[in-house]
Amino acid sequence: MTAPMDDTDPRGTIAVLARERGVSLAELSRVLGRNPAYMQQYIDRGTPRRLAEADRATLARYLGVRESALGGPVRDELVAVLRIDAAAAAGPGGLVEDDRADGVLRIDAALLRQLRVRPDNASMIEVTGDSMEPVLGHGDTILVDRGDRRGVSGVIYVVRYDGALLVKRLARVPGGVELVSDNSAYPPIAVTGTPDIVGRVVWLSRRL
């Protein structure tokens, strides 16, 4: 469970976030290009009194929080999220030869925090097909957390299967895993071995 953040105490906030992320203060110092003891001294001894603006911005991006949580000004923030140049098929699926990023979309940083998705793990992909209706429809844009590849049964993931990206629910069955559609017209797909999970679907954007 995430502890509440106190925007007036950036030192305490950084210490809490580091523990929750499993990141050492020495690692945070390395991210800033500082000596290994820099963040320990900042938190325990109050040296320096304030983080430099560039350091604060770097830590905020790395930890996935708004700058104001680390003592910066309060303002609306948008973060860049990779747009993957490949349709994630919610049907039979066409072959995907190239799933590299072809640009970025700007998304509310508060939304990513609410979803607990780090900006560097977030990707936006367009859905094609109707096999995941009514939950996901053709043309929907989904936000994928590439940091979550746990393969929880019943959860929707983007999975790389037989040369294609598919959007399916995972189902743990005796002897393996099935990729299951919400639309009953599409039969489950049996997967031998461990599925190649790209990431968990955590949010969708739908055009009216």
Side-chain angles (χ1 to χ4, degrees), residues 8 15 18 23 29 40 44 72 86 110 113 137 153 179 185 205:
T8 66
V23 178
S29 300
Q40 190 77 53
D44 291 344
R113 289 193 298 272
S153 188
L179 308 180
S205 175

Side-chain angles (χ1 to χ4, degrees), residues 4 19 21 38 46 55 71 74-75 111 125 160 168 184 189-190 198 200:
R19 287 196 300 270
R21 306 293 196 269
Y38 182 80
D55 287 350
V74 177
R75 60 191 179 205
L111 175 62
I125 309 178
R160 188 175 285 104
K168 300 293 180 186
S184 60
I189 300 171
V198 175
R200 178 174 181 171

Side-chain angles (χ1 to χ4, degrees), residues 16-189:
V16 169
L17 288 169
R19 287 196 300 270
E20 291 182 343
R21 306 293 196 269
V23 178
S24 69
L25 296 181
E27 172 64 13
L28 293 183
S29 300
R30 186 197 65 77
V31 168
L32 297 178
R34 306 280 188 171
N35 71 74
Y38 182 80
M39 289 305 300
Q40 190 77 53
Q41 292 172 348
Y42 169 71
I43 290 174
D44 291 344
R45 301 181 184 177
T47 303
R49 292 182 60 189
R50 293 185 179 86
L51 288 173
E53 288 188 13
D55 287 350
R56 185 181 65 221
T58 298
L59 284 179
R61 287 194 300 270
Y62 185 79
L63 295 170
V65 298
R66 62 192 186 282
E67 283 194 51
S68 59
L70 307 185
V74 177
R75 60 191 179 205
D76 293 332
E77 296 180 74
L78 296 177
V79 296
V81 173
L82 290 175
R83 178 185 179 277
I84 301 299
D85 185 18
L95 289 180
V96 176
E97 296 179 353
D98 191 350
D99 60 359
R100 65 187 174 186
D102 74 337
V104 298
L105 295 174
R106 299 283 174 178
I107 192 167
D108 187 354
L111 175 62
L112 292 183
R113 289 193 298 272
Q114 180 182 350
L115 297 170
R116 299 184 181 181
V117 178
R118 288 179 52 165
D120 56 347
N121 283 335
S123 297
M124 302 292 287
I125 309 178
E126 184 175 322
V127 174
T128 62
D130 63 354
S131 77
M132 289 304 291
E133 290 184 348
V135 176
L136 300 176
H138 181 78
D140 287 349
T141 299
I142 53 176
L143 176 62
V144 179
D145 180 5
R146 292 180 286 106
D148 187 345
R149 303 180 184 181
R150 294 172 293 171
V152 177
S153 188
V155 173
I156 301 176
Y157 291 91
V158 172
V159 179
R160 188 175 285 104
Y161 174 78
D162 196 23
L165 292 182
L166 303 179
V167 186
K168 300 293 180 186
R169 292 190 192 275
L170 259 63
R172 298 288 177 179
V173 298
V177 173
E178 288 184 343
L179 308 180
V180 180
S181 301
D182 283 0
N183 185 340
S184 60
Y186 293 82
I189 300 171

